[in-house]
Amino acid sequence: MASWNALSPSVVEYFEGEDFYRCGYCKNESGSRSNGMWAHSMTVQDYQDLIDRGWRRSGKYVYKPVMNQTCCPQYTIRCRPLQFQPSKSHKKVLKKMLKFLAKGEISKGNCGDEPMDSTVEDAVAGDFALINKLDIKCDLKTLSDDLKESLENEEMKKERNSKKEESNELIHSQAIEEKLGSGEPSHSIKVHTVPKPGKGADLSKPPCRKAKEIRKERKRLKLMQQNPAGEHEGFQAQGQPPSLFPPKAKSNQPKSLEDLIFESLPENASHKLEVRLVPVSFEDPEFKSSFSQSFSLYVKYQMAIHQDPPDECGKTEFTRFLCNSPLEAENPPNGPESGYGSFHQQYWLDGKIIAVGVIDILPYCVSSVYLYYDPDYSFLSLGVYSALREIAFTRQLHEKTSQLCYYYMGFYIHSCPKMKYKGQYRPSDLLCPETYVWVPIEQCLPSLENSKYCRFNQDPEAVDEGRSKEPDRLQVFHKKAIMPYGVYKKSQKDPGEEATVLQYARLVGQACSERMLLFRS
């Protein structure tokens, strides 16, 4: 008998990557290849484990490139925020934002010349046709009368306490009906809402300090540098306790990322920037009230930056791509205050949204999904700025949830110049596509210069430790019942069925194959 916690299990439909299709990076019409699955719902732990095996989501479609066959191999990249130090170009972007907010100054010159001025996004745009086709296919399948009827009947059955054959084991029928029947997350999920401006603390900012206090502190530090020998004597004469100051002035100490982002602005600042973290849920009032403005910004961005025609960036596409998420919101007591799940990080400038970072907060990381922004503010290098804010946000979450200490930037594609900028957020690691261990990017770059596809693990004896070792333990959801694959396969006559299921097991690994439910019609 399978034993499940209070959380409903992930439910997925797997699609074998049989065809080559258009690449969103190099525009090769038939060079890209990936395997994918439609996630009707997914726990944050399952998705964390999947992205640590090279998977990535676009809406509810979760895909994994066939690395040794696709034209542009896509390596999962993660930054280590706790050791991150902003580079000169990062500082330049942050100072540019501060000048704009403080005085309304717009930096001269071509902002396109700045390194890393790309948006933090994964170019799944070329795969939209595939994703849309699968969405329609899954909708038709999950909304079919037969499936809905069988699941509705299952909801009416009482929970059985006596042990029976594993092939008749049933769990969480109502939750599964919501996942398979509607394609939408359960409406009973509790979503943590962030306090609105003026009604609570902004989670993305440190406590405010008065400008007067900042000026006094700067003056004291300057005096300390000029007269280090008599620092305590001089400050005590001014009535300042010596405990407020370091024992030795460190004039060469670099500013932290937080110092640069949250530097105090004058009271008469020209602009006000506020970052709000909003759960992606149409039941959340803040998400719902800002949806129209957020969608309009998306359309403006897609048409200006990606030259998308209006009919390709409608509400359906926007919702499917950036609002629909398979991740179920979770709020454990030892987790971050925001909870886990999918969020929009909205950048409000003077009461107007100018950028939206789509992120997932997972057990060990903040995962960047996409960014769209107002092209009128391209001079602020919002792609770089938002990435730095997300790194700082990860550090903030780490203070309460110690295991949450990584920032995943999606895929690093060495063969695509527009995607190489991610490698400049250091220290960072790339995921070995064969053994799924993390390797510092500095060790990977020489190999990538010689070959698009590389195994980064230098140990020739190393294997995938999380590989599927017992495929018969894989969990299948079939005809209203949950059963191990070892039981399910006995009733199957299709010779291609086993190959597909075993491929799925190999790609997701043993742990996920035992937790997730593979839906088979």
Side-chain angles (χ1 to χ4, degrees), residues 118-122 368-371 383 386-387 390 407 409 421:
S118 303
T119 58
V120 181
E121 64 184 51
D122 290 326
S368 176
V369 179
Y370 199 73
L371 174 83
S386 66
E390 288 170 6
Y407 174 57
M409 295 177 281
Y421 73 94

Side-chain angles (χ1 to χ4, degrees), residues 3 15 43 69 100 104 200 229 282 297 363 372 381 443 456 488 512:
S3 174
F15 301 99
T43 66
Q69 297 181 28
F100 173 72
F282 284 98
L297 178 63
Y372 57 98
S381 302
Q443 298 178 26
F456 299 136
Y488 167 79
C512 281

Side-chain angles (χ1 to χ4, degrees), residues 310-354:
D311 61 338
E312 290 185 12
C313 44
K315 277 188 180 180
T316 301
E317 288 74 18
F318 172 65
T319 302
R320 180 179 293 155
F321 180 35
L322 298 176
C323 301
N324 287 350
S325 169
L327 302 184
E328 294 197 18
E330 298 178 25
N331 290 275
N334 61 340
E337 291 182 22
S338 58
Y340 298 113
S342 297
F343 298 83
H344 281 189
Q345 210 162 33
Q346 301 173 340
Y347 293 75
W348 290 77
L349 180 69
D350 303 331
K352 182 181 75 170
I353 301 177
I354 64 164

Side-chain angles (χ1 to χ4, degrees), residues 97-104 265 269-273 349:
M97 176 64 81
L98 288 171
K99 285 183 180 179
F100 173 72
L101 296 176
K103 304 176 182 178
L265 294 172
S270 299
H271 301 285
K272 179 186 177 184
L273 179 68
L349 180 69

Side-chain angles (χ1 to χ4, degrees), residues 434-435 455 457-465 467:
E434 294 182 9
T435 61
R455 170 193 167 107
N457 193 327
Q458 297 301 308
D459 180 2
E461 304 297 323
V463 297
D464 169 19
E465 295 295 338
R467 67 191 182 279

Side-chain angles (χ1 to χ4, degrees), residues 364-419:
Y364 308 128
C365 73
V366 169
S367 174
S368 176
V369 179
Y370 199 73
L371 174 83
Y372 57 98
Y373 59 85
D374 190 333
D376 294 343
Y377 293 90
S378 293
F379 61 88
L380 290 174
S381 302
L382 291 170
V384 179
Y385 183 77
S386 66
L388 296 172
R389 288 293 296 243
E390 288 170 6
I391 289 172
F393 179 57
T394 306
R395 284 154 64 136
Q396 180 192 342
L397 295 178
H398 170 76
E399 291 178 7
K400 184 189 175 187
T401 310
S402 59
Q403 73 271 18
L404 203 165
C405 56
Y406 296 107
Y407 174 57
Y408 284 49
M409 295 177 281
F411 287 135
Y412 173 82
I413 304 165
H414 194 74
S415 57
C416 179
K418 288 185 178 181
M419 302 302 288

